[in-house]
Amino acid sequence: MIDSAGALIQFRFQYFGHIGNSMGEWNSWHIQYKADGAGLSLLTPAERLQAETELLLALEAPADPRPLLGLAYLSSRKALPGLNRCFSSQSQHAWTTHALRAIAAIDPYALDQQQLLRQLAHGRPHASPFSDPLIDILLGLRLYFPLSLLERPVIDQIFQLMRHKKALVRSHALQTLRELYALPTAAQETATDLERSTNDPVFQLISPDDRPADYDSAIRLLRQQTENIALI
C-alpha cells in the first residue's frame, strides 16, 4: 500500500515525468497516457489541493495533455478558464481535444462557446495537409459533447467547415455532424471502407479539392438529412 507521501511522489511521476518519444504532433488523442485518477484518489485532501495547484501551473503552458487530464480527474473548476483558453492558444500544441474532454468532465455547460466559435471560424491554419487544429476541435466535440449542449452558431460553423480547403477537415466536419445528429456515418474520417464511402453521396461531393459548388450541394443534402431526423 502506498503511503500519503509516496502517493504525492507517484502523482508527480505520473503527471510530470518523462513520457518518451511517442508524442505525435497531431494525433495525441491516440496515446494511452499512464496518468489516471487512481493515483490522485490516494492523496489526502491537503495533497489534492497541492496537486491541483501544480497542475494549474502546468496548464499555463502544458508540454503534453497530462495536466488537462489530471485537472479533469480532480473536477477542478479553477481549471475551466485555462481549459477554455486552449482554443485560442498560439502554441504548437493546444491539446484542444483533451481540453474539451476535461471541460466535459468538469462541467460541460462551462464550455466557452464564443471562444470556440472564434477558433472554428478564424483559427490559425496548419501547414501540413494531414493535420489542422480544427480537426482536434471537431474530434473533441463529437467525442465529448451532445448536440443539445452546442449553440446554433457553433453547429452552423461546423457546416461551413465542409467548405474548408483541406479535404481532411471537410471529412471531419461531416463525421462530426453525423455523430452529433446520430446520422449514418458511412464516410469515416479515415475513409478505409471504400465501398461504403463510394456509395456515400455527401462524402463524394466533399472529397475532391477546389469544388465549392459541390461543397454547397453537400451541405444542402446534409442539412436536409438532419431536418428529416428532427421530424422523426
Side-chain angles (χ1 to χ4, degrees):
M1 180 176 179
I2 301 176
D3 61 21
S4 178
L8 194 57
I9 292 171
Q10 182 66 17
F11 150 73
R12 289 174 177 145
F13 175 78
Q14 287 184 336
Y15 284 90
F16 301 106
H18 183 59
I19 58 173
N21 298 319
S22 60
M23 177 65 67
E25 290 189 1
W26 58 273
N27 64 346
S28 67
W29 59 82
H30 292 301
I31 297 174
Q32 299 298 312
Y33 296 102
K34 296 185 182 302
D36 57 35
L40 291 171
S41 67
L42 298 174
L43 301 178
T44 66
E47 288 168 340
R48 286 173 66 90
L49 290 174
Q50 178 62 32
E52 182 182 28
T53 298
E54 294 178 17
L55 291 169
L56 286 169
L57 183 62
L59 182 60
E60 295 178 7
D64 59 67
R66 288 178 295 173
L68 288 70
L69 298 176
L71 290 162
Y73 291 130
L74 290 172
S75 298
S76 172
R77 297 196 65 84
K78 293 180 181 178
L80 289 168
L83 292 168
N84 278 298
R85 282 195 298 272
C86 289
F87 304 128
S88 59
S89 173
Q90 296 301 308
S91 65
Q92 181 180 8
H93 297 304
W95 315 120
T96 48
T97 302
H98 300 280
L100 286 163
R101 172 183 173 182
I103 293 168
I106 298 167
D107 180 2
Y109 291 95
L111 176 64
D112 185 341
Q113 301 205 37
Q114 290 301 310
Q115 186 90 273
L116 176 68
L117 182 60
R118 283 193 291 271
Q119 187 65 17
L120 287 170
H122 307 295
R124 184 181 61 164
H126 197 292
S128 169
F130 305 109
S131 174
D132 198 284
L134 291 169
I135 296 173
D136 293 353
I137 295 176
L138 292 168
L139 181 68
L141 288 175
R142 69 176 182 257
L143 284 176
Y144 304 117
F145 284 85
L147 178 66
S148 60
L149 283 183
L150 298 178
E151 297 172 357
R152 172 52 57 182
V154 170
I155 296 298
D156 288 342
Q157 185 56 37
I158 298 174
F159 272 102
Q160 292 305 310
L161 289 177
M162 290 174 61
R163 294 188 175 98
H164 197 274
K165 64 181 181 180
K166 290 184 181 179
L168 199 57
V169 173
R170 296 195 298 272
S171 65
H172 272 272
L174 171 60
Q175 182 73 5
T176 297
L177 289 164
R178 282 178 159 165
E179 294 200 17
L180 288 172
Y181 282 97
L183 290 167
T185 55
Q188 301 295 326
E189 59 265 35
T190 52
T192 54
D193 191 333
L194 297 179
E195 181 179 355
R196 290 174 68 191
S197 62
T198 299
N199 295 321
D200 180 346
V202 180
F203 183 71
Q204 288 301 307
L205 285 167
I206 66 169
S207 293
D209 289 331
D210 303 317
R211 299 281 291 272
D214 285 352
Y215 306 158
D216 290 344
S217 297
I219 291 171
R220 286 194 296 270
L221 182 56
L222 188 63
R223 282 193 180 277
Q224 182 180 18
Q225 292 174 0
T226 63
E227 291 166 1
N228 290 340
I229 289 290
L231 294 173
I232 295 177

